Amino acid sequence: MDITVIGGGIAGLALAHELAPDHAVTVLESAPGPHGGGFMIDFFGPGFLAAERMGLIEELRARGHAFDGVRYGTPDGQESGRIDAGPLVEAAGGRYFSILRPEVELGLRAVLPPSVDLRYSTRVTAVHDPALAGAPATGRATVELADGTTLDADLIVACDGVRSVARELVAPGHGAIVPMGYRAASYLYDDPELAAELGERMLMTDTVGRVGWAYAAGGGRVGVMLAERVRAAGTARPTPDRERLQRDFAGLHPQVDRALAHAPESFYDDLVAQAIAPRWSRGRVVLAGDAAHAPSLLAGQGTSVAIAGAEALARSLRATGSHLAAGLAEYERRWRPTAEKVQRSGRRSASFFTPSSPAQLRLQQIARRAVGLPGVGRVLTRSVIAP
């Protein structure tokens, strides 16, 4: 088949890697090149297992890092607790490491088969399947590009993120994102002195309503992530505002304040949201990655489920051969239970990262201490990272 993949991020590249041996694959990415900036993620769970089967894990692990754990800090700069990474790694059987999200994309790009036609600076504005509009079936679906041209394909896979251009076509009434009541920002910048101070432990602030992370990101860089509870008036992506960021997150911790002073003019800034659709395919169009099942940034497994979901789609298409409808149905049957489980976890865990009251913060501090008790840490971490 001729398959067009919309989106050259993690899900799109992982899918192209798996489809290339059997199909002619074109990947359309609106950005001018691989995404920069980004934030540190923990890579574990179903995506780790899928990456092993796909032969990708060594490339990703070589780009990753093993932190000692997390330390918690109060606004006056005092340390209020620690969580060691050891129990997490042990519970995962060693299948656990941290990696900058852009490095995942670069790693996938490095092993992409040469037969894949990867086109940057190519923005898709609309997706059509004539059969879905009652027109005579042509056996092809179409994408419209921003330059006015069109491309036909036997199958179109939307891997274009939580605000997918295709989700409304596939699942009418479900095109909009589902905000979770949080907003997050992140950036990287050069600061060898602060990176050395942060060392091998991530810093997370012990604060209410707003929280900040800071960590050494390699090469003298510091990574920063900031999250806050919000009452979103809509679903549009916010406009990054450096002064607002510095004003609203000041005072969380002295090291976060130092990092805020270096906030760039342009940075990642978006609502924390999920994509929820009652169906993932319709006709010759199918959703994958965040376009189908974004768990939210605070769930911590978006990269993992993007890679594992891409593998599930490719395996289902391979198993059913020329029977496209059967392959798409098998993909959803195989993968939806896991994706929805991660989404439920994301909804539960969001409040853990940004407590809404001093009482909730206190409960979390007690829970963190429990992780260090014999036997308790192993049970809790296995419940979090189980594939």
Side-chain angles (χ1 to χ4, degrees):
M1 289 190 295
D2 289 331
I3 299 179
T4 294
V5 178
I6 307 172
I10 291 170
L13 293 176
L15 180 63
H17 180 276
E18 288 299 281
L19 293 175
D22 305 307
H23 306 282
V25 182
T26 300
V27 180
L28 309 177
E29 170 54 47
S30 60
H35 298 89
F39 44 85
M40 192 73 73
I41 58 101
D42 293 326
F43 190 55
F44 59 91
F48 198 113
L49 299 175
E52 287 183 326
R53 292 189 294 266
M54 296 162 69
L56 304 173
I57 196 62
E58 293 309 317
E59 177 68 33
L60 298 181
R61 192 190 285 274
R63 297 170 178 271
H65 186 79
F67 284 97
D68 291 342
V70 178
R71 64 182 174 91
Y72 292 84
T74 55
D76 61 2
Q78 298 297 307
E79 184 174 308
S80 56
R82 291 189 173 202
I83 291 181
D84 293 330
L88 290 167
V89 178
E90 180 185 358
R95 292 183 170 94
Y96 186 107
F97 59 85
S98 298
I99 184 171
L100 284 169
R101 197 175 188 279
E103 287 296 329
V104 180
E105 184 177 327
L106 291 173
L108 295 172
R109 178 72 177 86
V111 297
L112 194 67
S115 63
V116 174
D117 182 6
L118 174 58
R119 307 182 189 181
Y120 287 109
S121 298
T122 307
R123 184 168 64 88
V124 174
T125 56
V127 179
H128 303 284
D129 183 344
L132 299 181
T138 63
R140 307 280 278 183
T142 303
V143 295
E144 292 183 8
L145 306 182
D147 63 5
T149 62
T150 62
L151 291 176
D152 292 342
D154 298 307
L155 176 65
I156 295 173
V157 187
C159 297
D160 51 340
V162 69
R163 292 184 174 85
S164 173
V165 299
R167 192 163 53 251
E168 181 64 27
L169 174 65
V170 171
H174 295 80
I177 66 172
V178 181
M180 299 178 66
Y182 304 89
R183 180 176 176 179
S186 71
Y187 57 90
L188 295 169
Y189 77 100
D190 292 324
D191 191 339
E193 182 178 345
L194 182 54
E197 286 185 25
L198 292 167
E200 293 301 316
R201 284 189 180 270
M202 290 188 173
L203 165 69
M204 182 174 177
T205 64
D206 231 353
T207 46
V208 174
R210 293 185 173 90
V211 65
W213 292 261
Y215 51 88
R221 293 176 300 171
V222 169
V224 180
M225 180 174 284
L226 304 155
E228 62 182 324
R229 290 175 175 264
V230 295
R231 291 185 177 179
T235 59
R237 186 165 187 169
T239 300
D241 182 337
R242 180 175 182 265
E243 292 183 0
R244 181 202 72 84
L245 198 73
Q246 293 174 327
R247 178 183 66 250
D248 289 357
F249 288 93
L252 296 180
H253 189 276
Q255 289 177 320
V256 172
D257 285 342
R258 287 168 57 184
L260 278 170
H262 298 276
E265 290 295 332
S266 178
F267 52 89
Y268 172 88
D269 186 2
D270 204 354
L271 302 176
V272 176
Q274 292 190 334
I276 299 175
R279 60 186 300 168
W280 292 348
S281 67
R282 189 165 175 246
R284 293 182 175 272
V285 184
V286 61
L287 308 173
D290 280 355
H293 47 66
S296 92
L297 180 147
L298 295 180
Q301 294 195 61
T303 296
S304 178
V305 296
I307 292 175
E311 186 206 28
L313 175 54
R315 289 175 64 185
S316 297
L317 292 174
R318 188 177 303 123
T320 54
S322 60
H323 303 285
L324 178 60
L328 298 181
E330 172 64 9
Y331 154 62
E332 190 160 348
R333 183 199 67 79
R334 176 198 297 264
W335 184 239
R336 182 179 280 275
T338 300
E340 290 184 343
K341 177 182 177 182
V342 175
Q343 286 189 312
R344 289 193 298 270
S345 174
R347 291 190 288 270
R348 291 193 304 267
S349 66
S351 62
F352 179 83
F353 292 106
T354 51
S356 61
S357 67
Q360 189 179 51
L361 176 61
R362 181 59 179 161
L363 288 174
Q364 292 178 11
Q365 292 169 337
I366 294 171
R368 291 201 301 264
R369 286 200 294 271
V371 172
L373 297 176
V376 175
R378 182 175 299 178
V379 171
L380 290 176
T381 52
R382 280 182 177 168
S383 70
V384 170
I385 66 174

